Amino acid sequence: MLLKAAAQLLPVDVSMEILPIADIPLYNADFDLPAAKQRPEPVEHFRKMLTDADGILIASPEYNYSIPGGLKNAIDWASRGEDSPLLRKPVAVIGATPNLWGTIRMQMAFHNVFLFLDMKPVYKPEVLIAQAEKKFDKDGNLIDETAKRLIRQKLEALKEMIHLQTQVGDIVDTKII
Ligand SMILES: Cc1cc2nc3c(=O)[nH]c(=O)nc-3n(C[C@H](O)[C@H](O)[C@H](O)COP(=O)(O)O)c2cc1C
């Protein structure tokens, strides 16, 4: 429901596709490269879709103060290899929960993943949808104006990060200090 809401709040010239993860098997190195010639088909598809995307928007609940296992498993599959589609990719996390803390602990748990993969996370504004049952109507539409504004701002920030990354790639002389 949250991803569908985000898809209605995109900045201009941004398109979004929702990528389901339900078919992705448990990570097993025996079925990963180079041991296996080909990864399981749902994993190949998942990685290809991520490769084709300029940025990633992750929407998730919080499980036991952390990232739900199914989502972490999908991220693990995508993270392997020098051709990982996650490496240095702009990313943003949003979350919804019936509880009070709005998935902040799940979102914090992503920091380590982003660090390891050298991803380019957009942290602000935080989109923490607490008491979600009050923020969506019975048809699953987001009806909370504050949440909508924050999602819009987050998507703008993600777009900006994507453009920044592209421009950095174009610079010939790079100075660091
Ligand atoms: C295994 C499990 C652990 C959960 N842990 C948390 C938690 O740490 N924090 C929280 O706010 N909600 C927690 N919840 C409640 C979820 O936010 C709530 O069930 C939510 O609707 C799950 O979304 P889903 O149905 O898309 O998985 C947990 C739910 C499950 C099933």
Side-chain angles (χ1 to χ4, degrees):
M1 281 153 45
L2 187 53
L3 278 178
K4 283 183 185 156
Q8 303 296 316
L9 299 167
L10 296 173
V12 282
D13 295 330
V14 174
S15 62
M16 177 179 140
E17 231 172 299
I18 295 180
L19 184 50
I21 57 170
D23 291 346
I24 295 184
L26 271 186
Y27 182 79
N28 181 338
D30 293 347
F31 298 105
D32 197 5
L33 305 180
K37 285 200 173 67
Q38 207 187 346
R39 299 182 180 100
E41 197 282 321
V43 174
E44 290 293 355
H45 176 71
F46 183 62
R47 288 178 62 112
K48 161 106 184 42
M49 296 288 285
L50 291 175
T51 301
D52 290 347
D54 296 309
I56 302 172
L57 176 69
I58 298 172
S60 176
E62 175 178 281
Y63 279 6
N64 296 308
Y65 285 15
S66 193
I67 303 167
L71 174 58
K72 179 63 165 47
N73 179 63
I75 298 282
D76 292 342
W77 269 116
S79 72
R80 304 303 293 164
E82 283 172 16
D83 64 340
S84 163
L86 301 180
L87 288 177
R88 291 175 288 282
K89 186 88 92 185
V91 63
V93 183
I94 57 179
T97 171
N99 294 319
L100 290 176
W101 290 92
T103 72
I104 185 65
R105 293 156 299 213
M106 173 280 290
Q107 299 197 21
M108 294 293 289
F110 262 110
H111 295 338
N112 287 342
V113 176
F114 297 155
L115 273 178
F116 183 64
L117 295 169
D118 215 358
M119 294 186 80
K120 306 300 172 200
V122 171
Y123 290 119
K124 301 288 175 58
E126 289 168 329
V127 178
L128 304 164
I129 307 203
Q131 299 187 308
E133 72 283 1
K134 297 181 188 164
K135 314 268 167 80
F136 291 86
D137 68 16
K138 61 176 172 34
D139 298 320
N141 300 305
L142 185 62
I143 50 170
D144 185 88
E145 289 307 318
T146 305
K148 283 190 194 175
R149 178 172 49 80
L150 292 172
I151 293 169
R152 236 182 248 116
Q153 289 171 358
K154 186 84 153 195
L155 288 166
E156 285 288 355
L158 181 59
K159 179 183 175 184
E160 226 170 84
M161 177 66 87
I162 291 166
H163 285 201
L164 197 67
Q165 289 304 304
T166 316
Q167 284 162 21
V168 166
D170 292 341
I171 294 172
V172 181
D173 295 315
T174 306
K175 282 187 190 157
I176 55 171
I177 186 163

